[in-house]
Amino acid sequence: MIIKSKAFYTTAYVFVIFLILICVIPFWLLIAGSVTSEAELLVHGYALIPKEVSFSAFEFLWQMKDGILQAYLMSIVISVTGVSASLVLTTLFAYPLSRKDLPGRNAISLFLFITMLFNGGLVPTYFVYTRLFHIKDTLAGMIVPSLLMNAFLVIMMRTYITSSIPDEILEAARVDGAGEFRCLLAIVLPLSKPILGTVALMTFIAYWNNWTNGIYYIQQKTELHGIQNYLKRIMDSATMLQQQLASSINMDTRSIPTIGMRMALAVIAVIPVLAVYPFFQKSFVQGITIGSVKG
Amino acid sequence: MKKTLSLLLAAAMTLPLAACGSPDAGTDDGRAQQPGTETGAGAENSSSSKAGEYPVLRYNMISVTGDQRAKEAEVIEAINVILREKAHAEIEPVYVNFAEMQQQMNLLLTGGSDSLDFFSSFWYQPVSTMVSNGQVMPLDDLMAEYGQETAALFDGMEEVLDCGRVGDQLYGIPTITAWAVPNIYFCQEADSEAAGVDWSTVTDLDSTTEAILQLKEANPDHYYIPGSTEAYWIPKGIDYLGDQNYLGVLTDPENSTTVENYYESEYFLNLMENVKIWQEHDVICPDPMSNTTPTAGCMRVGIVSGSTGYNWSAEEYVNEANAIQDFGGTVVGTEISPRYITTGNVTTYMWHISPFCKDPEAAMRVLNLLYTDPEVSTLFTYGLEGVTYTLDENNVADYMEGENNLTSGWSGGPSYIVPNSTICPVWKGQSPDVHERIAESNQSAKKSIALGFVCDLEPVSDQVAACTNVIAQYYLPLMNGVVDIDTVLPKFQEELHNAGIDDIIACKQEQLDAWLASKQ
Amino acid sequence: MKNRSATKNRIGRKLKRYWPLYVMLLPGAVYLIINNYLPMFGLMIAFKKVNYEVGIFRSDWVGLSNFKFIFATNDAFVMFRNTFLYNLAFIILGNSFALIVAIALDTVRKRFLKNTAQVIILLPYLLSMVIVTYVVFAFLSPGNGFVNNSLLAPLGMDPVEWYNDPRPWPVILTIVYLWMNFGYTSILYYSTLIGIDKSLYEAAVMDGAGVLKQITYVTLPCMKNTMIIMIILAVGRICYTDFGLFYQVPMHSGMLYSTTQTIDTFVYRALLEQNSIGRSAAAGFLQSVLGFILVMAANALVSRFDKESALI
């Protein structure tokens, strides 16, 4: 937009700062919670500035640093593979769908859309993947089920292409003798950088945060688990230890900070996403801004 | 038509792998050639060459985290050495994550090649549900042929074994453990001394309330009832017929066979009267509706200084806890309900063979050893001596130096889940004669008239669904004393009627009567 | 004869022209078939009494009996009402708020602030519901919560038992929903927004358009397609609710049912003690079918006025 009104600009400025604050404060609460002693949390609840600082949650986690690093690595492998594959699948599906002249376009849209509404449920999906494709306890089990292509993002991308890339450009390219693949690579992709960045980011988040695939499809080879599954395991064991009802014969469980640890684990899980985000930012979103200024 | 579909599938199969750069395609093949068991180590060539001759039976290893145990290969191989000889079978654990147990077990019991062969249903589903879902197989014939020794464990206690029976067939074997678990109450000894409570007079709920009031008076800042989103009171003094929602119970399980509406029974009304007193005297811990820590957990983190619970022996419970200072200070406690053996208690821990079992006979042979062979049972429960646990000169087991149940590489000490822990050495903190005393407790406890009766609520499952929902709405606020009991309780009772609790009670009564008649 | 060969010719020409597009569609289509269509045999579970021993295909058909439990409760009205009203509120408020945020982001010129904001507003979306539950609890805890202690107490107001009082929860849950999701939605809108041809704005400014005019005449028309699609897609999910938001965030407090119970939480609670794959499949089936009908209606409505924005 081209802004000349100072008042509007200031309003937007203040508004954005306000948004940052409402998102940061709870996160700050989380970080504060992760360094507050367990007793303090239980008795006085959460405070923006902890009265009694304790790093016991992080100390407890430090013992598992090797496992955490390994799981990070796994998560990166899973996410990067998944995002790359997903970008290819999504783009290849979205571009033809954006072509209003494609015969059978409505049927294909419906074919895509139905997958968003109806699903067979966990057990049948599990049947298909484990009995037909035998992906149990393989890396594919972490990557393929349910995450590889998101109909929602395909539709978003299709809509973006329809509304942002004028037919005339493609028509002109075709007149110049460019094939469909060439149109896609030379024209559509460069002009679709913002939505590609968004799709990549959303898919990355989905992969990064996913833990259900790890639970359902990885049973024995837990070394294939990514960070979410690993952190979940730590959390489950700490909680179980502390809350064990049946048998009293156990280690001293009072020393395990379960609530503080939950906070610490959340912090650990989120940090890499924050680190990765600016990368997507730079290569896609800013790319288009600069590109369009030039053009 | 079929051909095109399979073509499509073939094409589809290559795609996702290619898209992922198939980093695991190679290793996958390698894996497939392995004989199922991860005998690992490769130390003993002779044993690994033997592997593969026998069926490898998969069972669920309930694990807090779903993590593979560090010493699994060694322990399992040690067990398999014996099993190959005595049972002509091998076993392989499948780790089931506690928190995701329902889902994982559902998937492992659907009949795929990864199905479990035999399993423990602890925390999973009641046996009648598993029968109706086709997830367990009848065991009578197998037991008669390969499990006589296990059957002999239940001599004189046939009703206990019957708890695994649905209709005429046996579908599950209860574990050998304490089957009578009365309600107990325990608190910090310091508090008790300050208040001068005479625990010998505390025998039931009403006298417990008196003791609690004494405690509260002497320690006004402390709380004595662990109000929580996890129930702090399981009615062990009645027979709730194995129903977690207590829809239809026997409140006098020694004498009466009349199924009653729990939520309108004397027993529950009396409980509510006590909750009112607790409410009034502020003995329930603060914010119970947002406290997710259950009973003893609240004691451990210091939210409360006294708690309800249940255990086969308050004395043993308190001693074990004090031996390792589980609750920070020394605690005292006592039993506050009659001790009954009920179907509900027995069916908490059971083992089954799935209908997808590769070799049910071998599975029965394995189970038989787990129930009766001390060596196998000890390996299964504690792992390998000198590797995952040590024995001292008195034959008392403990973790290896500096280890605990997370780091030991196998399991966390004694367990009620394993088929028979009473033939293992005692664990540190347990009384030396704990196994004899458990057996004695089982012998001396009163049996509910309905012991061995397993209810099937399938015919009224819509009503059960509706009642479960009503209970989810009203039960905890009432128990935690955060609502006005006099106004909310009648509303709760009415909603239960609307939801069809009477149909459920009638259904239970009918089945119970038929079962009683068939026993005559 | 002539006619037929002409048709043939046309099809041939079309094929020649479009085959690359169909080839592009193939990988995605294969994935959808495997991941979504093959498992759809599971839809029949809604009409079966599943017995794994004989297998899903050979289990007995039981007609509609799996569906009965959804309506065999006094809560049926409450949970349907809550599900629809919450979703309606989420669709309207969520999308308009996200649009405003996207415009604000686009307006801000300071690159650092713009980039920081884009990272930060996604934070809530990245947190698991369990953590969000803790955060909400930190605010609303009756004893030590931020609201009772730091807001109401200084104002001399009585503390509120937030988890016992159903009345404020429609507002609380809507705020939590908006807080968690506005980042995601506004990033989607923002990527469309920055794709808008700058020359359009320049032309508008030449014509003397101010900020509001630029928004109404350039931004909104360019965003229209994306917005309509977002809304249509949301309508398809109108019978579904985020289980974590409605179950965990209110701490599954029974006293809040009148305003927090939705179809998903009901199904979970009702089947808590019963491992009934048939009944849960039935509930899912019902939700899907209702969503499908509504979405088709919405799509028909949209395509009547504006063929281009329609989903199909």
Side-chain angles (χ1 to χ4, degrees), chain C residues 190-216:
Chain C
Y190 180 66
S191 63
T192 312
L193 204 64
I194 56 176
I196 295 175
D197 195 343
K198 290 283 179 290
S199 58
L200 292 175
Y201 287 118
E202 278 155 22
V205 172
M206 294 278 232
D207 291 348
V211 172
L212 284 181
K213 283 247 165 81
Q214 285 182 58
I215 292 179
T216 26

Short mmCIF file of all heavy atoms in Angstrom, two decimals, chain C residues 190-216:
data_model
loop_
_atom_site.label_atom_id
_atom_site.label_comp_id
_atom_site.label_asym_id
_atom_site.label_seq_id
_atom_site.Cartn_x
_atom_site.Cartn_y
_atom_site.Cartn_z
N TYR C 190 -1.09 -12.46 4.45
CA TYR C 190 0.02 -11.55 4.15
C TYR C 190 0.74 -11.99 2.88
O TYR C 190 1.12 -11.16 2.06
CB TYR C 190 0.98 -11.53 5.34
CG TYR C 190 2.16 -10.63 5.17
CD1 TYR C 190 1.98 -9.25 5.09
CD2 TYR C 190 3.45 -11.14 5.08
CE1 TYR C 190 3.07 -8.41 4.93
CE2 TYR C 190 4.54 -10.31 4.93
CZ TYR C 190 4.35 -8.94 4.85
OH TYR C 190 5.43 -8.12 4.68
N SER C 191 0.90 -13.31 2.71
CA SER C 191 1.60 -13.76 1.50
C SER C 191 0.79 -13.42 0.25
O SER C 191 1.36 -13.15 -0.80
CB SER C 191 1.93 -15.25 1.57
OG SER C 191 0.75 -16.01 1.64
N THR C 192 -0.52 -13.43 0.36
CA THR C 192 -1.34 -13.01 -0.78
C THR C 192 -1.21 -11.50 -0.96
O THR C 192 -1.10 -11.00 -2.08
CB THR C 192 -2.82 -13.36 -0.53
OG1 THR C 192 -2.91 -14.70 -0.10
CG2 THR C 192 -3.63 -13.17 -1.79
N LEU C 193 -1.21 -10.82 0.15
CA LEU C 193 -1.19 -9.35 0.15
C LEU C 193 0.05 -8.81 -0.55
O LEU C 193 -0.03 -7.90 -1.38
CB LEU C 193 -1.21 -8.88 1.61
CG LEU C 193 -1.74 -7.49 1.88
CD1 LEU C 193 -3.20 -7.41 1.50
CD2 LEU C 193 -1.57 -7.18 3.36
N ILE C 194 1.23 -9.40 -0.22
CA ILE C 194 2.44 -8.85 -0.83
C ILE C 194 2.58 -9.29 -2.27
O ILE C 194 3.45 -8.79 -2.97
CB ILE C 194 3.71 -9.21 -0.02
CG1 ILE C 194 3.83 -10.71 0.13
CG2 ILE C 194 3.73 -8.52 1.33
CD1 ILE C 194 5.10 -11.12 0.83
N GLY C 195 1.71 -10.23 -2.68
CA GLY C 195 1.75 -10.61 -4.08
C GLY C 195 0.96 -9.65 -4.96
O GLY C 195 0.97 -9.76 -6.18
N ILE C 196 0.26 -8.71 -4.34
CA ILE C 196 -0.56 -7.78 -5.12
C ILE C 196 0.34 -6.85 -5.92
O ILE C 196 1.32 -6.31 -5.40
CB ILE C 196 -1.48 -6.94 -4.19
CG1 ILE C 196 -2.49 -7.85 -3.49
CG2 ILE C 196 -2.19 -5.86 -4.98
CD1 ILE C 196 -3.34 -7.13 -2.47
N ASP C 197 0.00 -6.70 -7.17
CA ASP C 197 0.78 -5.86 -8.07
C ASP C 197 0.82 -4.41 -7.56
O ASP C 197 -0.22 -3.78 -7.39
CB ASP C 197 0.13 -5.92 -9.46
CG ASP C 197 1.05 -5.38 -10.52
OD1 ASP C 197 2.03 -4.70 -10.15
OD2 ASP C 197 0.78 -5.67 -11.70
N LYS C 198 2.03 -3.92 -7.31
CA LYS C 198 2.16 -2.57 -6.73
C LYS C 198 1.58 -1.48 -7.64
O LYS C 198 1.14 -0.43 -7.18
CB LYS C 198 3.64 -2.26 -6.46
CG LYS C 198 4.22 -3.07 -5.32
CD LYS C 198 3.78 -2.54 -3.96
CE LYS C 198 4.34 -3.37 -2.83
NZ LYS C 198 3.73 -4.73 -2.75
N SER C 199 1.59 -1.77 -8.92
CA SER C 199 1.13 -0.72 -9.85
C SER C 199 -0.36 -0.40 -9.64
O SER C 199 -0.82 0.70 -9.93
CB SER C 199 1.37 -1.14 -11.28
OG SER C 199 0.72 -2.36 -11.53
N LEU C 200 -1.08 -1.40 -9.09
CA LEU C 200 -2.50 -1.16 -8.82
C LEU C 200 -2.66 -0.04 -7.79
O LEU C 200 -3.51 0.84 -7.91
CB LEU C 200 -3.17 -2.43 -8.31
CG LEU C 200 -3.30 -3.57 -9.32
CD1 LEU C 200 -3.87 -4.81 -8.67
CD2 LEU C 200 -4.16 -3.13 -10.50
N TYR C 201 -1.81 -0.11 -6.74
CA TYR C 201 -1.88 0.94 -5.72
C TYR C 201 -1.48 2.28 -6.31
O TYR C 201 -2.10 3.31 -6.05
CB TYR C 201 -0.93 0.61 -4.55
CG TYR C 201 -1.42 -0.53 -3.68
CD1 TYR C 201 -0.70 -1.70 -3.56
CD2 TYR C 201 -2.61 -0.40 -2.96
CE1 TYR C 201 -1.14 -2.74 -2.77
CE2 TYR C 201 -3.06 -1.43 -2.16
CZ TYR C 201 -2.32 -2.60 -2.07
OH TYR C 201 -2.75 -3.62 -1.27
N GLU C 202 -0.40 2.24 -7.13
CA GLU C 202 0.06 3.49 -7.73
C GLU C 202 -1.05 4.12 -8.54
O GLU C 202 -1.30 5.34 -8.44
CB GLU C 202 1.29 3.22 -8.61
CG GLU C 202 2.57 3.14 -7.80
CD GLU C 202 3.66 2.31 -8.48
OE1 GLU C 202 3.58 2.14 -9.73
OE2 GLU C 202 4.56 1.84 -7.77
N ALA C 203 -1.74 3.29 -9.28
CA ALA C 203 -2.84 3.81 -10.10
C ALA C 203 -3.91 4.41 -9.20
O ALA C 203 -4.45 5.50 -9.49
CB ALA C 203 -3.43 2.69 -10.94
N ALA C 204 -4.20 3.71 -8.08
CA ALA C 204 -5.24 4.21 -7.18
C ALA C 204 -4.84 5.55 -6.59
O ALA C 204 -5.65 6.48 -6.51
CB ALA C 204 -5.50 3.19 -6.07
N VAL C 205 -3.56 5.65 -6.20
CA VAL C 205 -3.09 6.91 -5.61
C VAL C 205 -3.17 8.04 -6.64
O VAL C 205 -3.57 9.16 -6.32
CB VAL C 205 -1.66 6.74 -5.06
CG1 VAL C 205 -1.09 8.09 -4.62
CG2 VAL C 205 -1.66 5.76 -3.90
N MET C 206 -2.83 7.72 -7.87
CA MET C 206 -2.94 8.70 -8.95
C MET C 206 -4.36 9.26 -9.01
O MET C 206 -4.58 10.44 -9.24
CB MET C 206 -2.64 8.04 -10.30
CG MET C 206 -1.22 7.58 -10.44
SD MET C 206 -0.13 8.89 -10.92
CE MET C 206 0.65 8.13 -12.34
N ASP C 207 -5.33 8.33 -8.79
CA ASP C 207 -6.73 8.75 -8.82
C ASP C 207 -7.12 9.44 -7.53
O ASP C 207 -8.31 9.71 -7.32
CB ASP C 207 -7.64 7.54 -9.06
CG ASP C 207 -7.47 7.00 -10.46
OD1 ASP C 207 -6.83 7.71 -11.26
OD2 ASP C 207 -7.95 5.88 -10.74
N GLY C 208 -6.17 9.63 -6.64
CA GLY C 208 -6.45 10.37 -5.41
C GLY C 208 -7.02 9.52 -4.29
O GLY C 208 -7.69 10.03 -3.39
N ALA C 209 -6.75 8.20 -4.32
CA ALA C 209 -7.29 7.35 -3.26
C ALA C 209 -6.47 7.45 -1.98
O ALA C 209 -5.24 7.48 -2.03
CB ALA C 209 -7.31 5.89 -3.72
N GLY C 210 -7.15 7.53 -0.85
CA GLY C 210 -6.47 7.51 0.45
C GLY C 210 -6.30 6.08 0.90
O GLY C 210 -6.52 5.13 0.13
N VAL C 211 -5.95 5.94 2.15
CA VAL C 211 -5.70 4.61 2.68
C VAL C 211 -6.94 3.73 2.57
O VAL C 211 -6.90 2.62 2.04
CB VAL C 211 -5.24 4.68 4.15
CG1 VAL C 211 -5.17 3.31 4.74
CG2 VAL C 211 -3.90 5.38 4.24
N LEU C 212 -8.05 4.23 3.09
CA LEU C 212 -9.26 3.41 3.11
C LEU C 212 -9.70 3.06 1.70
O LEU C 212 -10.11 1.94 1.43
CB LEU C 212 -10.38 4.14 3.86
CG LEU C 212 -10.19 4.12 5.39
CD1 LEU C 212 -11.34 4.85 6.07
CD2 LEU C 212 -10.09 2.70 5.90
N LYS C 213 -9.61 4.00 0.81
CA LYS C 213 -9.99 3.74 -0.58
C LYS C 213 -9.08 2.67 -1.19
O LYS C 213 -9.54 1.80 -1.92
CB LYS C 213 -9.89 5.03 -1.40
CG LYS C 213 -11.06 5.98 -1.18
CD LYS C 213 -11.89 6.09 -2.46
CE LYS C 213 -13.26 6.70 -2.22
NZ LYS C 213 -13.25 8.17 -2.14
N GLN C 214 -7.77 2.77 -0.86
CA GLN C 214 -6.85 1.75 -1.39
C GLN C 214 -7.26 0.38 -0.88
O GLN C 214 -7.23 -0.61 -1.61
CB GLN C 214 -5.42 2.04 -0.96
CG GLN C 214 -4.79 3.18 -1.71
CD GLN C 214 -3.35 3.40 -1.27
OE1 GLN C 214 -2.53 2.50 -1.37
NE2 GLN C 214 -3.05 4.58 -0.78
N ILE C 215 -7.64 0.33 0.42
CA ILE C 215 -8.04 -0.96 0.98
C ILE C 215 -9.29 -1.48 0.29
O ILE C 215 -9.34 -2.62 -0.15
CB ILE C 215 -8.26 -0.85 2.51
CG1 ILE C 215 -6.91 -0.61 3.19
CG2 ILE C 215 -8.91 -2.12 3.06
CD1 ILE C 215 -7.00 -0.45 4.69
N THR C 216 -10.29 -0.60 0.18
CA THR C 216 -11.56 -1.07 -0.38
C THR C 216 -11.48 -1.35 -1.88
O THR C 216 -12.12 -2.27 -2.36
CB THR C 216 -12.71 -0.09 -0.13
OG1 THR C 216 -12.17 1.21 0.01
CG2 THR C 216 -13.50 -0.45 1.10
#
